[in-house]
Amino acid sequence: EEEEEGSSTKKAAVAMCVHTGSFSDYEEIPGVSHFLEHMLFMGSEDFPNENEYDSYLSKNGGMSNAYTDTECTNYYFDVQPKGLRGALMRFAGFFNSPLCKKDAVDREVQAVESEFVQALQNNAARLSQLRCHTATEGHVFRKFSWGNFRSLIEQPTQKGHVPRDLLLKYHKSAYSAERMSLVVLGAEDLATLERWVRELFSAVPCGLGPPVSFSGQGKPYEGGWVFALPMTREGHELHVLFQLPCLHRHYESKPDDYISHLIGHEGEGSLLSVLKQKGLVTHVSAGVAHEGYDRSTIGYMFNVTFVLTEKGLRFGRDGFGVVEYLFAYINLVRAAGPQRWIWDEISAASKMRFKFAAEDEAADYVQELAVNLRLYKTEHALEGDYLHATWDPELVQRTLGLLVPKNMRVEVQSSSFEGRAFEREEPWFRVPYSARRLTDEESEALARFTDAPGLSLPPRNKFLPTDFGIRTQDLAPGERSWLDKASAFGCPTPEALLCPPLLVSSSQDTEAWYKHDRFFRTPKLALLCSFEPDDARSTAERCVLLKLATRVLEDSLVETTYLADVADLSTHVYSNGDRLELRLEGFSHKLPTLLTEVLGGMASLEPDGERFEACRETLRRALKNSIFKPSRHAAYLRLLSLQLESWPLENQLEALEGLTAEKCRDFVRGLLSSSRRQVLIHGNATTEEAKSMVAEARSKFSAGPPRGPFVKRLALLKPGQRFVHSALAQNPQEKNSASEVYFQVGEENDSDYAALSLLEQLVYEPFFDQLRTKEQLGYSVSCGVRNTFGVLGFCFSVVSAKVSPPEIEERVESFLEQFVETVRGMAEEEWRQNVKSAVEAKHQQDQTLGEEAERHWGQLSSGRYEFFQQLEIAERISSTTKEAFLAWFGRHISAKSDERRALRVRVFGRESEGRGEDQGSYSAGDLMNFREEVAALERKTEPAREGEHPKC
């Protein structure tokens, strides 16, 4: 399924990082930093309407967001360039004159409560809160940073405080100009941008001095403790945390990066490789995360995380045997001493990444820079995260010296602990846990452990490129015809970016496409390849075999692909619908080498027994966890209903148990010999180089069957009929319910696509404002266009712990009644502004070579080959009148229409009311009855034929 994304045209963006956060929360009102972040969106003296800011951004093709961390709170937005000044005017009020109105406080605290309730079953959040609870008494780590109704309203009120007064007091005592970093990215010249900033932000209060440092707090944890806690999802994880001093001032040498590179390595001789061969783990990661608890003025938390198999959990007490292997590797690294050649490889890769970094989304870019302005010297604000300028072996050795058992904290999370009796409980999330202290004997044994055969330092990296030259060549005749067609649209996006790929070759089993990059001019290349067997969905076994084979193949290649990834040459192997897809992307110099090794690995695949079982266990776990969240569960049920050839998870899980390593091997090899294949090569390569890569790929392929049309069978809902798919949330502790109200429009066409795009532009912000901000139904409220394998629709989604799915549906219908009247009364000027923003969203300018390749690949893999589809839809949007839109809405969305095709999906939380049978409802058990009631729509897509498309 494809979901419509927001505009990727060039945007203006702004971020304000206020360098204060939850470490500064008042004891009287835990979570006040987070609560204030919410409240600043709710109006200021100059713009008192609560949704003025978001409404303005929406009308000007923008978005906003914010997050609260331990020592900073970051607010940011993006907007079409023409709307920058207006957005800045509204944004400035956050910091100089917020209202924090009482009625808004009373309502918005419900949003914070909903966010908290959604996090209650999140394993990462539960672990984070346990770490806070078990920190040293009196340490700022112990503060409850989330905030909820109890901490923000009930407790302060019981102690005689007025929550709104505490909010305003906190804003006054913590939000000061000296503690803020502002980044503005716009199309105007620097003088104009600076003038606007001075004019609009000069009223921000100042005088509090620089940000508060918490360096005197000391270590948050006592070392040598082991904690165990249950996991809400299927799985087992073991975390080993080492406390390091604050390394902010060592950002040019980054000793933690050197250590994480080695411990987290995935190549031959690595800790992961040895543990995988034993069937103990499926993943290892190591390093200092960028969240505030991990990286603060107090210190750095170096975390090593192991994803354990069932066998790994039994390896020692709750998987503790894996910790022995970790110390064996640490001791090996320490004994070898700091290696300059390893540092040089890290430094070279970082320099490459920075020099040839792809352009970020504007909003992401500014919010990262706003944080960096405080962390790094001004001249390093852009480069600081990449900088590895100083080799300091003594600092590396000192840092390694802190990776010892007595400075260690171990945490084991497992779903198998669910029935275990725990003697303790964290009070906010109600997480049960146990804690034990390592004995001196255990610590000493760990510190000396070396008995782990097979471990070694990594090999030298053969994928580090040395040729960064840009390939040039004359325009091919096919390119000229594409450029002429692109220029006819009058779109502001450069024709070189719009120009589609050329057909290299097309045979009975393989078609290959190529585009020479003339826009980004970067020494990078993207290669995408798909393999589609004829019978991928014929049985549940074939369906799940595709998913398992993907994991087995990815696992077998990891020691090669990891080295490539370190050299910024990524490999992704994944199942996408009925296909296995391979995507290689990175520096063009070494990409052909990687392609040869990956295809060779496919041809010679011989799955290892232990690793095959680990892959199967991982897939089993992933399938069960895929619908753990109610929102994901609801989306799954919708797609299961609409895709007539799809198999329910229970059938896939049953079929998974009968699969063998031999079946996986034969399936992957069969992809090379008897599947339909597509290849796209896009970027820094000449025509001859591209043809050479195609030839290399085809040398691994065998001749397949004649290629006929691709056929997908989809449900065509009956007009006026009521379909409701209901289910219980998978998690017995889940308090949230999820509801989707889906309206099916019909087969993909430009006219309906244009109307749906306009609907999304018009409805997204008011839908959020009404159901989330005003009615406070839940924290997660969204809507958008859905393209399900060529069948168009629109979906409204709400997750709520407050009301049941039937009530949510009533609110959605009520909103839509109000919405259509709002549009009917909309002034022509406002209508045209919305039309213009919807058009700009289609005139997308890809930010990176990878994004452009993905756009072309979407047309190729779907069999549409409509490379100018977005521009053609934009033309339709620009000519759509309000009257035409209302007529379309009346046919497809209005409850009064006899033509409306609707599907409602309900996932009930375990405490939700209204779970009774509904007329027209069905469950997964009678899915087949539903499929008999709906019409079957067959979507056929023909493969590319030579003579129909421009060639190289």
Side-chain angles (χ1 to χ4, degrees):
E1 181 184 52
E2 300 172 7
E3 294 189 11
E4 284 293 283
E5 297 182 354
S7 167
S8 61
T9 56
K10 291 279 188 177
K11 286 186 176 181
V14 175
M16 175 74 90
C17 184
V18 185
H19 297 277
T20 188
S22 57
F23 281 168
S24 299
D25 282 358
Y26 295 156
E27 295 294 337
E28 301 92 332
I29 184 167
V32 66
S33 295
H34 184 204
F35 192 20
L36 180 62
E37 174 221 306
H38 277 245
M39 288 306 305
L40 294 193
F41 285 80
M42 308 296 284
S44 63
E45 290 180 6
D46 290 337
F47 299 94
N49 291 337
E50 287 181 8
N51 72 323
E52 172 64 30
Y53 173 67
D54 286 327
S55 178
Y56 179 87
L57 290 175
S58 178
K59 290 173 183 175
N60 287 277
M63 56 74 66
S64 66
N65 210 338
Y67 64 85
T68 302
D69 213 325
T70 56
E71 294 179 296
C72 76
T73 308
N74 207 343
Y75 304 83
Y76 54 96
F77 69 83
D78 67 24
V79 69
Q80 296 294 347
K82 66 183 185 308
L84 176 57
R85 179 172 170 79
L88 273 173
M89 292 169 64
R90 291 157 176 79
F91 189 59
F94 283 37
F95 312 103
N96 56 42
S97 58
L99 292 179
C100 295
K101 291 183 287 188
K102 184 182 184 307
D103 61 332
V105 168
D106 294 340
R107 278 183 286 106
E108 194 59 22
V109 74
Q110 298 299 330
V112 178
E113 173 71 14
S114 295
E115 188 176 356
F116 171 72
V117 171
Q118 281 207 44
L120 286 174
Q121 302 303 313
N122 180 289
N123 287 308
R126 289 158 62 91
L127 178 60
S128 176
Q129 186 55 38
L130 178 64
R131 288 176 178 175
C132 293
H133 175 65
T134 53
T136 305
E137 192 71 41
H139 200 284
V140 293
F141 265 51
R142 283 187 72 97
K143 293 187 176 184
F144 174 57
S145 61
W146 283 88
N148 62 7
F149 187 81
R150 179 157 64 100
S151 74
L152 297 170
I153 301 296
E154 289 181 351
Q155 289 186 356
T157 302
Q158 289 169 2
K159 295 178 181 178
H161 300 290
V162 178
R164 178 176 180 271
D165 291 347
L166 290 175
L167 268 175
L168 293 173
K169 178 184 175 183
Y170 181 75
H171 186 275
K172 186 176 181 179
S173 68
Y175 278 48
S176 182
E178 307 95 313
R179 300 177 180 184
M180 298 179 182
S181 301
L182 179 68
V183 176
V184 180
L185 175 66
E188 294 76 11
D189 59 76
L190 288 175
T192 300
L193 294 175
E194 183 176 347
R195 185 175 71 252
W196 289 356
V197 169
R198 290 183 181 278
E199 174 189 341
L200 298 173
F201 291 86
S202 60
V204 175
C206 61
L208 294 180
V212 176
S213 171
F214 294 89
S215 57
Q217 282 277 314
K219 292 181 180 179
Y221 307 119
E222 183 182 356
W225 282 83
V226 181
F227 298 85
L229 64 156
M231 209 171 195
T232 55
R233 294 188 181 194
E234 290 273 333
H236 325 288
E237 292 185 0
L238 186 147
H239 306 267
V240 183
L241 202 67
F242 297 99
Q243 302 173 91
L244 307 180
C246 177
L247 296 172
H248 284 350
R249 65 190 180 94
H250 298 295
Y251 71 84
E252 294 186 61
S253 57
K254 295 183 175 65
D256 52 308
D257 277 10
Y258 177 92
I259 298 169
S260 65
H261 173 79
L262 294 175
I263 295 177
H265 208 279
E266 299 181 16
E268 184 181 356
S270 66
L271 179 61
L272 174 64
S273 179
V274 169
L275 292 174
K276 267 189 171 184
Q277 292 298 332
K278 293 181 174 293
L280 301 176
V281 308
T282 59
H283 182 71
V284 175
S285 62
V288 180
H290 283 267
E291 284 74 27
Y293 285 109
D294 299 285
R295 194 179 291 253
S296 69
T297 55
I298 294 171
Y300 279 27
M301 302 296 140
F302 190 97
N303 192 8
V304 185
T305 296
F306 301 90
V307 179
L308 303 175
T309 62
E310 298 286 346
K311 181 179 178 181
L313 185 66
R314 298 191 300 271
F315 187 58
R317 181 176 176 179
D318 292 342
F320 201 77
V322 170
V323 182
E324 295 179 341
Y325 274 74
L326 169 62
F327 274 94
Y329 197 78
I330 291 171
N331 289 332
L332 182 152
V333 172
R334 189 182 288 124
Q339 301 290 308
R340 179 61 187 258
W341 71 267
I342 294 176
W343 171 261
D344 287 342
E345 284 195 351
I346 296 170
S347 179
S350 295
K351 287 177 182 176
M352 290 188 315
R353 282 196 175 93
F354 178 69
K355 184 175 181 179
F356 300 105
E359 185 173 343
D360 287 334
E361 292 289 343
D364 295 337
Y365 188 56
V366 294
Q367 62 102 351
E368 290 171 7
L369 284 183
V371 174
N372 289 355
L373 283 171
R374 185 65 65 176
L375 288 177
Y376 307 132
K377 297 174 185 176
T378 305
E379 62 268 27
H380 293 152
L382 301 180
E383 190 183 5
D385 289 343
Y386 299 86
L387 202 58
H388 292 79
T390 306
W391 169 235
D392 190 339
E394 291 78 15
L395 181 59
V396 169
Q397 197 70 2
R398 288 201 305 274
T399 306
L400 273 169
L402 297 172
L403 273 57
V404 295
K406 291 191 176 181
N407 189 38
M408 169 189 77
R409 171 190 172 97
V410 178
E411 299 139 349
V412 188
Q413 288 178 287
S414 172
S415 53
S416 67
F417 293 167
E418 193 57 46
R420 180 181 292 189
F422 290 98
E423 66 274 16
R424 309 185 190 193
E425 184 179 81
E426 186 280 326
W428 291 102
F429 278 65
R430 308 298 297 271
V431 179
Y433 71 98
S434 64
R436 69 179 181 92
R437 190 167 189 170
L438 291 176
T439 65
D440 290 342
E441 292 77 13
E442 286 178 302
S443 294
E444 290 169 8
L446 273 180
R448 295 193 305 268
F449 193 84
T450 57
D451 185 20
L455 293 176
S456 65
L457 293 179
R460 294 182 184 269
N461 197 333
K462 62 184 177 183
F463 291 105
L464 283 169
T466 55
D467 179 1
F468 302 102
I470 303 298
R471 305 292 190 266
T472 60
Q473 65 181 22
D474 295 335
L475 281 174
E479 282 183 279
R480 292 186 186 279
S481 65
W482 278 135
L483 288 170
D484 291 342
K485 186 171 182 179
S487 63
F489 285 97
C491 172
T493 304
E495 287 85 356
L497 192 56
L498 294 174
C499 187
L502 301 173
L503 184 63
V504 176
S505 62
S506 182
S507 66
Q508 64 176 7
D509 52 36
T510 306
E511 66 181 59
W513 297 77
Y514 157 70
K515 181 179 177 182
H516 177 69
D517 172 46
R518 300 185 187 276
F519 181 77
F520 294 103
R521 297 190 59 77
T522 180
K524 292 191 175 183
L525 195 62
L527 184 146
L528 296 96
C529 184
S530 68
F531 304 84
E532 183 167 11
D534 288 325
D535 57 352
R537 291 188 180 272
S538 60
T539 64
E541 180 180 279
R542 294 293 290 178
C543 176
V544 78
L545 182 56
L546 173 61
K547 296 175 182 178
L548 181 58
T550 300
R551 289 178 180 265
V552 170
L553 177 60
E554 190 173 37
D555 177 74
S556 71
L557 296 170
V558 70
E559 293 185 3
T560 295
T561 58
Y562 182 80
L563 285 174
D565 188 65
V566 171
D568 207 19
L569 191 57
S570 63
T571 307
H572 297 287
V573 183
Y574 50 95
S575 58
N576 185 1
D578 301 338
R579 304 186 301 274
L580 183 147
E581 294 195 356
L582 168 66
R583 178 174 183 147
L584 309 181
E585 186 177 353
F587 289 104
S588 52
H589 180 204
K590 295 299 179 105
L591 192 142
T593 303
L594 179 60
L595 175 64
T596 299
E597 298 212 13
V598 168
L599 292 176
M602 290 180 69
S604 61
L605 178 67
E606 286 289 350
D608 172 82
E610 291 278 12
R611 292 174 74 151
F612 171 78
E613 289 302 327
C615 288
R616 179 160 58 180
E617 180 185 326
T618 302
L619 178 57
R620 182 188 304 117
R621 196 178 295 164
L623 291 173
K624 290 180 179 179
N625 288 338
S626 66
I627 58 172
F628 187 80
K629 293 175 66 173
S631 59
R632 296 285 298 276
H633 193 175
Y636 157 76
L637 293 176
R638 170 171 49 82
L639 290 171
L640 185 66
S641 302
L642 296 176
Q643 296 173 250
L644 297 180
E645 298 167 315
S646 58
W647 291 91
L649 284 175
E650 53 265 35
N651 297 115
Q652 295 184 51
L653 286 164
E654 182 181 356
L656 178 63
E657 300 311 311
L659 297 182
T660 63
E662 290 71 28
K663 284 184 178 181
C664 269
R665 178 199 62 201
D666 294 343
F667 180 83
V668 171
R669 293 184 181 179
L671 293 176
L672 296 174
S673 62
S674 59
S675 65
R676 298 179 178 90
R677 298 173 288 262
Q678 286 181 305
V679 180
L680 170 64
I681 297 170
H682 177 205
N684 188 45
T686 64
T687 302
E688 293 308 312
E689 287 171 331
K691 288 181 176 180
S692 175
M693 280 183 271
V694 170
E696 171 63 25
R698 295 193 67 172
S699 71
K700 299 292 191 295
F701 304 159
S702 303
R707 300 176 62 235
F710 302 94
V711 180
K712 294 190 183 297
R713 297 181 69 249
L714 301 155
L716 187 62
L717 304 177
K718 294 180 180 179
Q721 190 166 358
R722 178 184 175 87
F723 290 112
V724 181
H725 197 157
S726 302
L728 274 176
Q730 294 291 294
N731 180 6
Q733 308 303 318
E734 184 60 70
K735 295 183 178 181
N736 291 289
S737 297
S739 178
E740 286 199 352
V741 180
Y742 170 79
F743 300 105
Q744 189 179 71
V745 174
E747 286 194 72
E748 184 176 359
N749 64 85
D750 290 352
S751 179
D752 283 331
Y753 229 140
L756 284 164
S757 300
L758 258 177
L759 175 60
E760 184 168 7
Q761 167 63 32
L762 290 162
V763 80
Y764 189 92
E765 188 280 328
F767 180 64
F768 182 90
D769 180 58
Q770 181 63 36
L771 273 69
R772 171 24 175 100
T773 305
K774 290 186 172 67
E775 299 184 24
Q776 288 294 331
L777 295 192
Y779 182 72
S780 179
V781 175
S782 62
C783 61
V785 180
R786 299 292 184 268
N787 183 344
T788 309
F789 297 107
V791 175
L792 299 177
F794 200 91
C795 191
F796 295 88
S797 305
V798 178
V799 177
S800 176
K802 183 178 179 181
V803 297
S804 67
E807 291 177 86
I808 292 171
E809 292 161 15
E810 291 176 9
R811 304 288 183 90
V812 171
E813 294 287 8
S814 177
F815 165 80
L816 289 174
E817 288 180 16
Q818 299 170 23
F819 167 75
V820 74
E821 294 305 318
T822 300
V823 175
R824 189 170 281 117
M826 186 178 289
E828 184 62 21
E829 182 181 353
E830 185 178 356
W831 171 260
R832 295 311 306 172
Q833 175 61 47
N834 277 290
V835 168
K836 186 178 180 182
S837 291
V839 168
E840 288 172 341
K842 297 300 177 188
H843 287 167
Q844 54 186 9
Q845 181 165 321
D846 303 301
Q847 304 289 337
T848 67
L849 180 78
E851 281 186 17
E852 186 192 352
E854 192 63 42
R855 175 165 55 85
H856 298 317
W857 185 248
Q859 293 296 329
L860 297 174
S861 61
S862 67
R864 289 192 294 257
Y865 307 106
E866 297 174 7
F867 297 106
F868 297 108
Q869 183 184 37
Q870 295 291 79
L871 302 184
E872 289 162 352
I873 293 170
E875 289 188 341
R876 292 272 188 159
I877 295 172
S878 64
S879 62
T880 302
T881 64
K882 184 170 69 171
E883 291 70 27
F885 173 79
L886 287 169
W888 176 91
F889 186 94
R891 287 194 307 275
H892 296 291
I893 309 297
S894 172
K896 300 174 183 177
S897 173
D898 294 332
E899 298 179 44
R900 183 169 86 160
R901 297 184 175 101
L903 170 66
R904 297 159 189 257
V905 179
R906 300 169 177 174
V907 176
F908 290 89
R910 294 307 177 107
E911 298 177 4
S912 179
E913 298 179 356
R915 287 183 283 174
E917 287 298 316
D918 192 345
Q919 184 178 4
S921 71
Y922 62 97
S923 63
D926 50 32
L927 178 65
M928 297 308 166
N929 295 334
F930 163 79
R931 290 180 173 178
E932 290 177 1
E933 288 188 43
V934 298
L937 174 67
E938 290 195 349
R939 287 279 297 172
K940 294 184 179 181
T941 52
E942 297 284 348
R945 305 295 183 191
E946 296 209 15
E948 296 177 358
H949 303 277
K951 288 195 66 177
C952 292

